[in-house]
Amino acid sequence: MQVEIIGIKQGVVGVEVIDPRGNSHLIELAVDNENAGDYHGQDVYPHSSAERTADQEQIMNQVFERARFEAHTKTEYDILRPSWYPPQIERGIEALENMPAEKFDEAFREYYHALINPEKTREKYGITEGSVEFPGEPQIVLIMKGFCIDEQNEVVNVLPGMYIYYTNDQTEQTYTAGTSASCSDETTQ
């Protein structure tokens, strides 16, 4: 993808992204106001997420995230959460690779089982048809398990529970269940 910061004005960073198919996207990131929405303009794909194919939706999401990363690394604005910043992700991977196998197995066993059997996870977290915010059968789209690392890249805390994102084909919104991760200020999530 080709990416260029095209301007910064009144707390908004403008980014142009050319997607892998050669289509231009204009992204405006509201960096000074947490309540203001970001803008993603383009003239190629359907504007509604529900009307896009899975490939089109993936491209739209990748373009937006690539714009956020470019604005984070090329401006003075701190846009990305540390847990989504590539050098921090690399630290997390290193910490997991260096964790003793028996401790890793104990800490992430439930997470592994959730990934291989999402149906059981749906039931355990009460994500069933009739108990969710929308009609129809819910589908799990992401399962997260948080852990905290210290300055030496050692896992110091594996957080209990998981955080689950779910939706279905009839809704444009994603919902969550479970416990979101939260690490102390002295560690990195």
Side-chain angles (χ1 to χ4, degrees):
M1 281 188 226
Q2 298 175 10
V3 186
E4 180 182 355
I5 303 291
I6 56 176
I8 302 172
K9 186 175 183 180
Q10 298 174 345
V12 175
V13 176
V15 184
E16 181 181 24
V17 180
I18 307 298
D19 72 29
R21 296 180 179 173
N23 302 309
S24 177
H25 300 252
L26 174 63
I27 311 293
E28 294 179 354
L29 302 168
V31 293
D32 282 345
N33 182 351
E34 290 183 14
N35 296 323
D38 298 323
Y39 171 77
H40 184 160
Q42 51 80 36
D43 293 326
V44 179
Y45 307 110
H47 291 283
S48 170
S49 178
E51 296 173 6
R52 294 183 203 125
T53 66
D55 287 341
Q56 291 171 338
E57 184 68 13
Q58 182 178 15
I59 288 172
M60 292 288 283
N61 290 332
Q62 288 174 346
V63 163
F64 187 74
E65 292 306 321
R66 183 64 178 92
R68 289 176 57 80
F69 178 74
E70 190 76 6
H72 180 87
T73 57
K74 299 285 173 53
T75 70
E76 72 274 9
Y77 295 104
D78 194 18
I79 295 170
L80 299 177
R81 294 185 311 246
S83 58
W84 289 101
Y85 188 52
Q88 297 293 29
I89 294 172
E90 291 169 7
R91 287 185 59 222
I93 292 169
E94 179 184 320
L96 290 176
E97 288 175 339
N98 293 327
M99 195 174 181
E102 59 280 349
K103 285 187 176 182
F104 180 88
D105 181 51
E106 182 181 322
F108 291 97
R109 182 179 297 125
E110 178 189 20
Y111 181 63
Y112 172 76
H113 287 291
L115 293 176
I116 63 171
N117 191 349
E119 295 302 315
K120 189 173 181 180
T121 304
R122 277 185 354 162
E123 292 170 14
K124 179 179 178 178
Y125 281 82
I127 306 169
T128 58
E129 189 170 5
S131 69
V132 295
E133 298 84 347
F134 50 81
E137 187 75 23
Q139 300 164 349
I140 291 179
V141 293
L142 179 65
I143 303 173
M144 296 176 65
K145 174 83 170 165
F147 61 96
C148 310
I149 60 175
D150 63 15
E151 290 298 318
Q152 291 76 38
N153 286 0
E154 293 182 13
V155 176
V156 293
N157 188 17
V158 176
L159 303 168
M162 294 176 283
Y163 201 52
I164 309 204
Y165 291 82
Y166 61 94
T167 190
N168 72 5
D169 294 336
Q170 289 80 42
T171 183
E172 292 183 24
Q173 193 166 353
T174 302
Y175 298 88
T176 60
T179 308
S180 63
S182 179
C183 293
S184 69
D185 291 340
E186 297 81 39
T187 61
T188 301
Q189 177 178 308

